[in-house]
Amino acid sequence: MFNMTEVNRNYTGWYRCVARNQVNQERSDRIWLDIIFGPDIPQIDVTPYSITDRGYSAQERQTVSLLCQAQSNPPSQYVWFYNNSQVYAGPQFTITRILRMHTGTYACLAQNTYLNTRSMKTISLTVYYPPDGSPSCSVLPAMNYSSLNLTCSWPGGLPSPSLRWTTNPLSLAQGGAWLGGEGSWPANNVSVLQSGSQTNNNSLFTCQGMHPALNTSTQCTARAWSPYGEPVCSAYATGMNQYLLLSCSWEGGSPRAVVWWEVPKEEGRGQEVETSKILVLRSNSTQNGQAYTCYAKHPLDTHTRTCSLKLEAPVLLTQRSVVSVFEGSDVQLTCILQSNYPPANQIVWFNNHRQEVVQEVQEALAKTRKYVLRRAAAWTNLTVLETDGTTDSGQYWCSASNAVGGTEIPVTLLVKRYPMPPNVTLVRLVYSSRQRREVELEWQMEGEGEGGEGRGLTGFILDHRLEEAPGQRREEEEKEKDREEAGTDPADQEEQRQEKRSSFSPWKQVAVLEARERVHTLGNMTPTDTYQIRITAVNHRTLGHPSPPETPADPPFSAYPAVIGAAIGGMLIAAIATVLLFMYIIRNRNNNPRTYTHTTNSH
């Protein structure tokens, strides 16, 4: 008998019993001794193999294989757990295209179902992934705008990327140095201070980013450059000119320049500084003539730049302060804005009744409008259309204002009448025929033929009036009692009274003739009516004295045409009678032998 104590897995194998003596020996059949054990603590192999101080690692989108092995008899059954949740059964767990969400703890459980024993091994797997996109570079001012703060940011990624700055990436291969010292910094944000006075204008800085999950490095650049030109100051007012806004800007540059305002000294107050590009002031007339200065500074510029504003109330000018024009013409009144700051909202015109001329109203009344406004940035002109001496003469005002004051200037408009045209006289007024359908007129001007023809003359107005029955005239007189125009001169009033006492209707304009005409035929006359006709000379809008009214005469009677006509008619009748008699004799010569015989004998 063979006794074994503290049996272990190494005792597993074939056993037989051998009996021998001096004469012979015998062997028993073999028997298999199977030692049941396990499982041992599993061993996990990770492929591809990459280990860090925090465990195993893998790059995103790789295929990762986890193999679990544990010594056991009978062989172990394996179960995989991810973050304490069962995910797979079997010795090898493969993750195809692993993602960042697969980072965590993986445990392999080995079980001996015969002995009902188990063991477990846990590992940590970190999935490395790069930050999204590329690094972002910026240049910011630092140290009171005397230096540059180079900032490189590349958020995200596991682990954090390595970032470092250089002025010329190509120089690194030739032994160039990194900004801020050797080496890189594993961080999502890296900043380096660069002296502004030691940096050339338009310098290019490069930030290089590296990450374990990337095969190549990536980079971004930032350029430092000074703004162009000089700072620019401007001013504008808010609605109703309540507040005045002073703006200062120095466009361009990287990083942007800083600007600030210096406020003028006032009584009882020292000089103030406003560290803002916009200075807000309450509008006040005391600001007229005041100067405001803006200062600007940039890290690459060792000097402080300035620009200034001088606030001024508007100053208006006009080309002519007194404008004269003949009535009926269009005239333009000018108003020029010589200087003002901030700019006035607009130039406003007032007419001779001190009423504001509004462009929108004039455009709405396009057919009956009296004024036209034309505007530009520095001037506004007012055109008075078809001037009238009574309603348009007078003083017009041009006005402008801004946030620090206002002003206005007068412009006097004198509308003159054209000279009185020469008197005109009808020298011929007669019906063209007995039918009394047309009247032929001829007239002449006073002084014609003496070098005065055409002086102050633009045309003629031809009027006529009809003789009316007494009853009809009384009715019209009653209707016209309330229609008398006020303001007519005594001569016109007397003429109107005489017309009312007469039996003729009011004068009616029937034709407007050109200045060169001296003869005219007036048609569409009613033969049974009695007319009076007059003609008036016109010089533009000035009417001359009308000619004395006259009644057309009938054409003179002439007997000569009648006598000639009767004679011609008698001759035609005699000729016709002779021809007829001759034809009768020829046709009837056989019926009258005496006549024929007498004619023969005579021969």
Side-chain angles (χ1 to χ4, degrees), residues 418-590:
Y418 283 92
M420 179 74 73
N423 293 335
V424 59
T425 304
L426 287 171
V427 298
R428 183 171 180 270
L429 183 64
V430 63
Y431 285 107
S432 60
S433 67
R434 291 289 177 174
Q435 283 75 27
R436 299 166 64 95
R437 293 288 184 181
E438 293 181 341
V439 175
E440 296 178 353
L441 300 93
E442 184 177 349
W443 62 93
Q444 67 180 12
M445 302 294 301
E446 182 180 296
E448 275 190 321
E450 301 176 2
E453 182 176 357
R455 292 179 298 166
L457 180 66
T458 58
F460 299 95
I461 295 177
L462 191 62
D463 303 324
H464 74 38
R465 61 182 179 180
L466 298 174
E467 184 178 15
E468 296 178 341
Q472 181 181 357
R473 183 61 189 164
R474 281 196 299 271
E475 290 179 5
E476 293 193 2
E477 285 180 354
E478 291 177 359
K479 293 179 182 178
E480 292 179 3
K481 280 182 180 180
D482 299 330
R483 290 190 240 162
E484 280 195 36
E485 295 183 2
T488 57
D489 57 32
D492 293 338
Q493 293 179 4
E494 180 63 23
E495 183 180 353
Q496 292 174 6
R497 285 194 292 268
Q498 291 178 0
E499 289 178 357
K500 290 181 179 180
R501 287 195 297 268
S502 69
S503 59
F504 285 92
S505 66
W507 288 104
K508 179 181 179 181
Q509 179 178 312
V510 292
V512 177
L513 309 176
E514 295 185 2
R516 65 175 181 271
E517 294 187 61
R518 294 295 183 270
V519 176
H520 182 71
T521 300
L522 182 62
N524 298 323
M525 311 296 285
T526 304
T528 58
D529 289 341
T530 301
Y531 294 90
Q532 279 193 340
I533 297 176
R534 69 180 184 183
I535 189 167
T536 306
V538 179
N539 185 12
H540 295 277
R541 289 195 172 189
T542 302
L543 300 179
H545 297 295
S547 66
E550 296 185 17
T551 300
D554 289 326
F557 177 78
S558 177
Y560 181 74
V563 172
I564 296 300
I568 294 174
M571 292 174 65
L572 289 174
I573 292 173
I576 293 173
T578 302
V579 171
L580 291 175
L581 179 60
F582 183 74
M583 292 176 63
Y584 175 80
I585 291 173
I586 292 176
R587 290 179 181 178
N588 295 281
R589 61 179 179 270
N590 295 326

Side-chain angles (χ1 to χ4, degrees), residues 61-335:
R61 294 183 177 82
Q62 281 185 331
T63 297
V64 177
S65 177
L66 306 179
L67 178 62
C68 182
Q69 294 177 329
Q71 295 292 327
S72 175
N73 188 25
S76 299
Q77 302 294 319
Y78 300 98
V79 178
W80 285 96
F81 295 86
Y82 168 64
N83 290 342
N84 299 322
S85 297
Q86 181 177 337
V87 293
Y88 185 73
Q92 186 169 2
F93 176 39
T94 301
I95 305 173
T96 304
R97 294 181 61 83
I98 195 168
L99 302 176
R100 64 191 69 178
M101 60 182 292
H102 294 138
T103 295
T105 58
Y106 290 83
C108 175
L109 175 65
Q111 301 180 87
N112 189 326
T113 56
Y114 188 86
L115 297 177
N116 196 25
T117 56
R118 58 181 58 84
S119 63
M120 179 178 286
K121 174 80 176 285
T122 300
I123 64 171
S124 177
L125 177 62
T126 301
V127 179
Y128 284 172
Y129 58 92
D132 294 333
S134 300
S136 174
C137 295
S138 62
V139 181
L140 302 175
M143 307 293 290
N144 195 23
Y145 279 79
S146 63
S147 299
L148 300 173
N149 181 11
L150 306 179
T151 301
C152 184
S153 176
W154 200 11
L158 187 69
S160 296
S162 298
L163 303 173
R164 49 186 176 179
W165 280 98
T166 181
T167 55
N168 186 0
L170 299 178
S171 66
L172 296 176
Q174 303 172 0
W178 296 97
L179 295 178
E182 293 293 335
S184 59
W185 303 276
N188 294 109
N189 292 277
V190 171
S191 296
V192 173
L193 285 178
Q194 175 76 10
S195 173
S197 60
Q198 298 178 2
T199 303
N200 295 327
N201 188 25
N202 207 30
S203 293
L204 183 65
F205 300 93
T206 302
C207 174
Q208 187 179 75
M210 294 176 290
H211 192 271
L214 296 176
N215 296 327
T216 60
S217 63
T218 184
Q219 64 185 27
C220 64
T221 59
R223 190 178 297 276
W225 53 283
S226 297
Y228 300 119
E230 299 291 334
V232 177
C233 296
S234 60
Y236 54 95
T238 60
M240 305 301 294
N241 286 333
Q242 292 181 347
Y243 291 94
L244 186 62
L245 306 181
L246 307 186
S247 174
C248 180
S249 63
W250 196 11
E251 297 300 328
S254 179
R256 300 303 294 267
V258 62
V259 297
W260 67 93
W261 282 97
E262 185 177 85
V263 182
K265 294 181 180 179
E266 298 181 8
E267 291 186 10
R269 299 175 59 184
Q271 211 160 25
E272 299 180 3
V273 174
E274 293 282 343
T275 56
S276 172
K277 67 181 299 183
I278 302 292
L279 177 62
V280 181
L281 303 174
R282 184 178 290 275
S283 299
N284 194 319
S285 59
T286 60
Q287 296 162 350
N288 186 20
Q290 294 284 354
Y292 293 80
T293 302
C294 171
Y295 295 87
K297 184 170 178 53
H298 191 269
L300 300 186
D301 195 341
T302 57
H303 302 287
T304 300
R305 308 297 182 95
T306 63
C307 66
S308 298
L309 286 179
K310 186 176 182 181
L311 303 182
E312 295 178 325
V315 177
L316 296 175
L317 296 176
T318 183
Q319 292 179 347
R320 292 181 294 170
S321 59
V322 178
V323 181
S324 61
V325 64
F326 284 108
E327 64 179 354
S329 303
D330 297 344
V331 62
Q332 180 174 271
L333 310 180
T334 61
C335 188

